[in-house]
Amino acid sequence: MGSQPRKPSPARKAAFEILLRVETQSSYAAELLHSQYTASLSARDAALCTELVLGTLRWRGMLDFLVQQLARMPWDSLDPEVKVALRMGLYQLRFLSRMPSRAAVYETVELVKAAGKRSASGMVNAVLRRGAQADLASFRPPAMPELEWQSIELSHPAWLLERWAARYGRLAAISLASANNQPPKTSFRLRTNGQSPSEIENQLREIAVEIGPGNFLKNCWVLRKGNIVRTEPYRRGELIVQDEASQIVPYLLDVRDGHGVLDLCAAPGNKTAQLAQWAGNTGRVVACDAYLHRLREMPVPGQDNVWRVALDGRQPLPFSNPFDRVLVDAPCSGTGTLRRDPEIKWRLSLEDIRELSETQSQLLSKAAGILATGGRMVYSTCALEKEENEMVVRRFLENHPNFSLLPVQSEKVRLRDFLQPSALWILEGDFLATFPPRDGTDGFFAAILIKTDGKTHSSNGKISGNI
């Protein structure tokens, strides 16, 4: 009797299923990587699954181009299962030098067969073997413009790279796209229950997890080695994984004990937990989101001062009493988070950015009506696009003369106790704006808006930046 075919490894099988859902159901990889697909995987297999999923999505544009040059059939004629397998197989062969080529080809072919696409297995085998060593540059059409070719080399949509080149310059745009293709560092803050940061750091060191300080915030740590998600401090809620730029935003609200705070677009809840901690037992935080299930899933450990309300923030808000502080962390294109959510760049269109800009303006306008006079509102996104950032703020100030812009540079003195001494430069200009290749963080934007008595006006919404 012949030997039985070897089944694909658990890591590859999980990665294939996740990528297929991203491809066919517009799911988000980050959520699926922390779902039932990886729950039973060992730490090593979970790490490989994450690498396969995010790496394949980051380099999808280049991988698709290469497959189209090597396959002897139209790309659009291929089934989703075959497309996903080809991308994932080529990613392993071209980017994972420690991965045995034979295993990558064999297991990819087996995944295709297991998915019911046995008729395509021969073509997949041939494309992977040719694609492993193929010279990408040899397939460049002679008349293809340089920036369009760079969009293939850097695996970014050409229209998006062209936008960035027009805004930042060609070299900065290339640097940004290159940074997006690098795995992001894992940043987290400590929410200690009586333990000092050094005690938690010692606990992590005992289980071979190494951490170091962040670049900007004193209460931010960066993972250097290991996996904190499977540690006891993480399970106890003492380690909150959150990009450092995202962690900075709540500090701009200046929430104090006893404040009433509205978090209008609260899910997944990382910022809500910070706000609730600062508001204290005498304060209240109302966390809102359009989807009830996202509110239910929000982890706010140990906080009894958080109320969750499902609502559409574009409609009049159902609150009778004004809030001292309002955070509008608006839904956005996410172009500042492409390192973590690479599938976004393959779904996004210019029309999406325009529609999001309108939604953001609606949210900000409705939130303005529930802020107390003298109160502070922070508008933030994880996008790099002007239509979602500066232009939204400028339009808001033009339409709301009873609001003024508080430049973030005026917050340096107040925030110096929270920031690293060498990091105060990030509070330059009128707003917070982080830039991935420069700062090593996600790209975040934030503006501070103060509700006045109507006699104080902004300077025509003029905004200066720090990029």
Side-chain angles (χ1 to χ4, degrees):
M1 294 178 61
S3 61
Q4 292 293 321
R6 188 177 65 189
K7 292 183 179 180
S9 67
R12 286 189 178 92
K13 186 175 185 296
F16 177 79
E17 292 174 348
I18 289 172
L19 286 168
L20 190 58
R21 276 200 55 180
V22 172
E23 176 76 8
T24 61
Q25 301 181 34
S26 296
S27 301
Y28 285 95
E31 294 179 0
L32 297 178
L33 285 168
H34 294 89
S35 69
Q36 74 275 9
Y37 288 102
T38 60
S40 61
L41 296 181
S42 67
R44 183 175 180 179
D45 280 344
L48 176 57
C49 178
T50 298
E51 173 66 36
L52 293 175
V53 169
L54 297 182
T56 300
L57 290 171
R58 289 188 187 109
W59 292 101
R60 195 189 97 170
M62 186 270 279
L63 297 170
D64 286 2
F65 174 82
L66 192 55
V67 170
Q68 291 176 66
Q69 310 311 307
L70 297 171
R72 294 188 174 91
M73 57 182 63
W75 174 253
D76 291 339
S77 71
L78 300 180
D79 292 323
E81 295 86 352
V82 178
K83 290 181 179 180
V84 167
L86 284 167
R87 290 168 183 157
M88 196 174 90
L90 272 182
Y91 175 72
Q92 295 171 72
L93 293 167
R94 296 183 70 88
F95 290 91
L96 302 184
S97 58
R98 298 182 184 178
M99 186 75 66
S101 298
R102 185 175 180 180
V105 173
Y106 175 82
E107 292 201 29
T108 301
V109 171
E110 290 304 309
L111 285 169
V112 171
K113 293 178 181 178
K117 306 298 175 182
R118 181 176 292 271
S119 61
S121 61
M123 182 271 290
V124 170
N125 190 347
V127 169
L128 293 183
R129 293 185 184 281
R130 292 199 301 270
Q133 302 298 327
D135 179 14
L136 180 67
S138 68
F139 296 110
R140 177 178 178 174
M144 180 175 283
E146 181 66 22
L147 194 61
E148 187 176 344
W149 176 246
Q150 288 176 329
S151 76
I152 293 173
E153 289 184 309
L154 296 167
S155 197
H156 275 63
W159 71 269
L160 190 57
L161 197 60
E162 288 170 1
R163 274 176 63 89
W164 292 341
R167 179 177 181 185
Y168 301 118
R170 183 183 292 265
L171 291 180
I174 290 172
S175 176
L176 174 56
S178 298
N180 289 339
N181 287 331
Q182 300 301 314
K185 61 186 178 183
T186 299
S187 300
F188 59 94
R189 57 188 174 85
L190 301 183
R191 185 184 177 277
T192 61
N193 295 315
Q195 295 188 85
S196 67
S198 59
E199 288 176 320
I200 294 179
E201 189 173 3
N202 288 335
Q203 291 177 24
L204 294 174
R205 190 179 294 112
E206 290 175 359
I207 54 176
V209 174
E210 295 180 10
I211 62 175
N215 293 330
F216 301 109
L217 289 168
K218 293 179 179 178
N219 185 33
C220 178
W221 301 84
V222 177
L223 180 66
R224 291 177 174 169
K225 178 183 176 183
N227 183 354
I228 64 170
V229 175
R230 301 196 175 204
T231 65
E232 281 304 314
Y234 179 84
R235 294 189 182 100
R236 293 195 299 264
E238 295 167 353
L239 310 179
I240 311 298
V241 176
Q242 185 181 7
D243 183 79
E244 188 165 14
S246 177
Q247 293 182 43
I248 296 172
V249 171
Y251 286 93
L252 301 180
L253 264 180
D254 189 21
V255 173
R256 304 182 185 183
D257 191 65
H259 270 164
V261 183
L262 174 65
D263 189 351
L264 189 59
C265 309
N270 288 328
K271 297 183 183 70
T272 308
Q274 285 180 280
L275 302 176
Q277 184 176 352
W278 295 331
N281 294 329
T282 60
R284 63 187 173 102
V285 175
V286 177
C288 303
D289 197 85
Y291 301 99
L292 182 60
H293 73 274
R294 298 192 73 200
L295 288 171
R296 287 173 172 163
E297 293 168 358
M298 278 175 42
V300 190
Q303 301 293 345
D304 297 325
N305 59 345
V306 177
W307 285 262
R308 309 176 198 219
V309 180
L311 53 75
D312 183 348
R314 297 169 298 179
Q315 303 300 321
L317 300 179
F319 306 112
S320 56
N321 296 322
F323 292 87
D324 303 293
R325 299 287 187 267
V326 173
L327 174 62
V328 182
D329 187 31
C332 66
S333 64
T335 51
T337 66
L338 297 185
R339 301 176 307 159
R340 301 178 191 282
D341 304 303
E343 65 270 31
I344 288 175
K345 61 186 175 183
W346 309 119
R347 299 174 181 171
L348 191 65
S349 69
L350 184 57
E351 184 58 32
D352 292 331
I353 293 174
R354 292 170 179 156
E355 291 178 358
L356 284 163
S357 179
E358 179 61 30
T359 296
Q360 292 151 358
S361 292
Q362 292 172 355
L363 291 168
L364 201 52
S365 180
K366 290 298 185 290
I370 201 65
L371 181 67
T373 300
R376 176 180 297 211
M377 180 164 63
V378 167
Y379 170 74
S380 67
T381 74
C382 55
L384 300 173
E385 315 314 308
K386 281 190 173 183
E387 295 94 328
E388 301 180 76
N389 296 335
E390 298 97 321
M391 291 174 64
V392 169
V393 173
R394 184 179 297 116
R395 188 162 59 239
F396 174 81
L397 291 172
E398 290 172 352
N399 294 329
H400 295 80
N402 61 329
F403 274 81
S404 63
L405 181 71
L406 179 67
V408 295
Q409 61 187 0
S410 66
E411 295 288 275
K412 280 187 176 181
V413 173
R414 183 179 68 82
L415 293 179
R416 63 187 177 188
D417 290 338
F418 306 104
L419 290 171
Q420 303 281 7
S422 61
L424 288 174
W425 65 267
I426 201 171
L427 299 179
E428 294 291 348
D430 288 334
F431 51 83
L432 174 74
T434 56
F435 194 57
R438 180 193 63 197
D439 304 323
T441 66
D442 289 344
F444 262 80
F445 171 91
I448 306 172
L449 301 162
I450 304 296
K451 191 170 187 177
T452 68
D453 57 7
K455 299 177 182 179
T456 303
H457 298 266
S458 66
S459 56
N460 296 319
K462 292 183 179 180
I463 298 174
S464 61
N466 61 351
I467 291 181

